Amino acid sequence: MAALGTARWLLRSYLCVKHVQKSHRASVKCGVRTLCSGTQCSAHSDSAKPKFTDAAVQDILTRITGLDLQKVFRPIKQELKPPTYKLMTDEQLEQAVAVATEQAKKLLQMPPVLQERTPINDVLSEDKILDGMDTAKYVFTDITYNIPHRERFIVVRETNGTLRKATWKERDRLVQVYFPKEGRKLTAPLIFKQDNLKIVFSQDRHEDVLDLCLVQFDPDSSEFIRVHTTTYEDVEKHGKYELLHSTRHFGGLAWYLVTARRVDGLIEDMLKRERLQDAVSLVSLFHMVHPHSESAQEAASQQATGTELLKIYAQKESQRSGYIELVLQAHEQTAAEGSAARLTCS
């Protein structure tokens, strides 16, 4: 009798799910789309503010990321294989470098920066008659291959008879079960625990953490955002910007600091490494994101460009104006001496 009761319960749950799919197909589909694109809806409320995906923003972030072929193609731990040597002419070498440069640009493509997805708390039905029928939950998943995972219908029958949509955590786990993604685990690696992250950061393995995070989590998941925020904060705290320079994560770091109005440390690091144009580009991005800041308004009124942007930023916005002004003075003095030397030679 118990087996018969359980069979009837499963049949009832199945029919209920099918009924929801048939009678509310359009509304469910629309609801899922709206739910999963919540970041787009919230973006419309602040359409005037530049976005991470804007062409102008991407252009600046790509320029300041840098393109160090030695770093992009540095040796990694893998199975040892005999090296391959090739004899090339100068022309062939130039072609090989050009091919490597294009490949490096693809490897440096920045991961998306999204707002956290809206939690799923939708209850489809409450069948009290099924309360206590079993001690385990039942999950019903649409495993049709041609459906995007974000629109896939997944529901859970609770032990108290409630039929609800699966949460994001449940969805991610079930999608990985039926449609495994290479490198992703059903349970997140322990490295993402807060205490373990501190140990990894002490070993300067920030890039490894972010690379693994890209595989394990979706860009709009809470864990993805938490790990990236924690990593950026550690980089900023210890001034280890160079660890992410010329990697696909540098643009995200710069965007995070710009939106938080905390670019002083990064500008100072760029100037120390004689990346003056990168610092100018970063200030330009700061003015794009914060057009109402005192620095941005002053630069707009003067139509400032180049190092003048840095001067205005140092005067109006920076907490480390002294160092920036000293570097700019040294740069101008060096430029003036170089011009004088060229005039003398001519």
Side-chain angles (χ1 to χ4, degrees):
M1 292 298 292
L4 180 58
T6 302
R8 289 177 177 174
W9 173 29
L10 290 176
L11 179 60
R12 180 184 178 87
S13 297
Y14 173 78
L15 293 176
C16 182
V17 171
K18 296 300 290 182
H19 175 71
V20 170
Q21 285 182 305
K22 290 180 180 180
S23 61
H24 302 285
R25 185 177 300 274
S27 60
V28 168
K29 186 173 183 180
C30 180
V32 173
R33 287 183 182 275
T34 302
L35 171 65
C36 297
S37 59
T39 57
Q40 300 174 0
C41 297
S42 60
H44 292 316
S45 62
D46 195 15
S47 57
K49 185 177 180 180
K51 303 178 183 64
F52 180 79
T53 54
D54 289 353
V57 172
Q58 287 290 305
D59 179 63
I60 293 176
L61 293 178
T62 300
R63 278 191 276 116
I64 68 177
T65 291
L67 184 63
D68 184 354
L69 295 181
Q70 295 294 331
K71 187 171 185 178
V72 175
F73 296 109
R74 67 187 181 281
I76 59 176
K77 293 182 180 180
Q78 57 183 354
E79 182 182 356
L80 292 178
K81 296 180 181 180
T84 301
Y85 299 95
K86 294 182 180 180
L87 296 177
M88 295 183 176
T89 63
D90 291 342
E91 182 179 357
Q92 290 174 329
L93 180 59
E94 291 178 359
Q95 293 176 352
V97 171
V99 171
T101 300
E102 290 302 315
Q103 185 179 357
K105 290 179 179 179
K106 294 180 180 179
L107 293 175
L108 290 178
Q109 289 182 354
M110 290 169 276
V113 175
L114 304 174
Q115 294 183 3
E116 185 177 346
R117 55 198 181 188
T118 306
I120 303 176
N121 299 307
D122 296 347
V123 175
L124 302 179
S125 68
E126 295 183 359
D127 300 312
K128 298 300 182 180
I129 193 174
L130 300 178
D131 187 7
M133 288 290 292
D134 206 331
T135 58
K137 300 178 184 178
Y138 284 83
V139 180
F140 301 86
T141 306
D142 184 351
I143 59 173
T144 307
Y145 282 99
N146 61 351
I147 298 178
H149 293 326
R150 286 301 177 94
E151 299 180 9
R152 195 170 297 282
F153 196 76
I154 304 177
V155 296
V156 178
R157 173 70 76 178
E158 296 281 358
T159 55
N160 62 359
T162 300
L163 184 68
R164 59 171 176 81
K165 291 183 179 179
T167 63
W168 283 117
K169 185 176 181 179
E170 293 167 337
R171 290 182 64 88
D172 291 342
R173 184 178 179 86
L174 289 165
V175 168
Q176 180 64 15
V177 169
Y178 292 110
F179 307 93
K181 181 178 179 180
E182 184 178 358
R184 179 172 292 190
K185 308 296 183 182
L186 284 176
T187 303
L190 296 178
I191 190 176
F192 294 121
K193 296 290 185 181
Q194 205 69 18
D195 292 339
N196 295 338
L197 285 176
K198 295 178 181 179
I199 298 175
V200 178
F201 291 158
S202 67
Q203 302 170 356
D204 291 344
R205 295 176 56 195
H206 299 68
E207 184 183 0
D208 294 337
V209 170
L210 296 180
D211 284 340
L212 184 59
C213 183
L214 288 177
V215 177
Q216 183 63 38
F217 305 114
D218 289 338
D220 58 353
S221 69
S222 59
E223 285 298 290
F224 183 96
I225 296 173
R226 179 187 66 83
V227 172
H228 276 71
T229 300
T230 304
T231 305
Y232 295 155
E233 287 292 341
D234 189 82
V235 170
E236 165 70 6
K237 179 180 179 181
H238 297 96
K240 297 180 178 180
Y241 309 103
E242 192 64 16
L243 291 176
L244 297 184
H245 186 262
S246 195
T247 72
R248 55 181 171 173
H249 307 293
F250 190 81
L253 168 66
W255 179 256
Y256 175 80
L257 296 176
V258 166
T259 53
R261 304 183 72 152
R262 294 162 55 193
V263 295
D264 281 4
L266 183 54
I267 290 177
E268 183 176 331
D269 184 80
M270 289 176 170
L271 294 177
K272 285 181 179 178
R273 301 180 189 279
E274 300 182 353
R275 296 171 183 158
L276 181 63
Q277 290 304 315
D278 286 354
V280 172
S281 298
L282 187 62
V283 172
S284 299
L285 179 60
F286 180 89
H287 290 166
M288 288 173 57
V289 176
H290 305 288
H292 301 298
S293 65
E294 190 176 355
S295 173
Q297 292 179 349
E298 182 69 18
S301 64
Q302 297 184 19
Q303 296 183 344
T305 58
T307 56
E308 292 299 321
L309 288 175
L310 276 173
K311 290 181 180 179
I312 294 174
Y313 175 83
Q315 295 170 359
K316 302 294 184 180
E317 197 77 31
S318 177
Q319 302 296 320
R320 307 180 188 181
S321 57
Y323 179 82
I324 297 177
E325 291 174 350
L326 284 175
V327 171
L328 292 177
Q329 290 175 7
H331 173 74
E332 292 175 350
Q333 183 177 353
T334 303
E337 292 175 353
S339 299
R342 286 193 294 271
L343 290 174
T344 302
C345 294
S346 61

